[in-house]
Amino acid sequence: KYWKPAGVTCTSDRNDASNVIARGGFDDLDQRVFTVGRLDKPSTGLLLLTSDGRACEALLRPSQKKEKRYVVEVDRAPTADDLRALREGVTIETVAQRDRKAK
């Protein structure tokens, strides 16, 4: 596990100087490791890393239909319109989110 600071990119691409593998010091390990999930570059938070690709697939493959929860801090209480917009789907990096469980 690794607490990702802001400014680190969730990628193993060595061409990206801010990649999580190098910045976290994981590039010296004997086995290749990669993240289980992603956080946006400006975000901070806990990342799981593994050398077992089966773990990633079991947790992240859409066909597994694993529920995901996100905890965010907001600068005000969401309005009914805000919650309705979230339930209808929010585009994040061109992927529409449609869990319809915003509370």
Side-chain angles (χ1 to χ4, degrees), residues 55-92:
C56 275
E57 292 205 17
L59 291 168
L60 301 177
R61 181 169 280 187
S63 63
Q64 298 296 320
K65 298 183 180 179
K66 298 287 185 190
E67 181 175 323
K68 296 176 180 72
R69 289 189 183 193
Y70 300 89
V71 178
V72 298
E73 292 181 23
V74 295
D75 60 0
R76 61 179 172 76
T79 65
D81 287 340
D82 293 333
L83 294 176
R84 183 173 39 258
L86 288 169
R87 287 186 194 103
E88 290 173 1
V90 180
T91 301
I92 301 173

Side-chain angles (χ1 to χ4, degrees), residues 13-72:
D13 181 356
R14 293 177 189 254
N15 294 320
D16 183 336
S18 69
N19 80 72
V20 68
I21 303 303
R23 292 285 297 273
F26 303 109
D27 49 353
D28 293 331
L29 298 175
D30 292 337
Q31 294 181 325
R32 178 178 178 253
V33 295
F34 44 94
T35 61
V36 179
R38 300 168 55 121
L39 291 172
D40 292 335
K41 189 171 184 174
S43 299
T44 64
L46 183 67
L47 283 176
L48 298 178
L49 294 106
T50 184
S51 61
D52 185 349
R54 296 171 299 172
C56 275
E57 292 205 17
L59 291 168
L60 301 177
R61 181 169 280 187
S63 63
Q64 298 296 320
K65 298 183 180 179
K66 298 287 185 190
E67 181 175 323
K68 296 176 180 72
R69 289 189 183 193
Y70 300 89
V71 178
V72 298

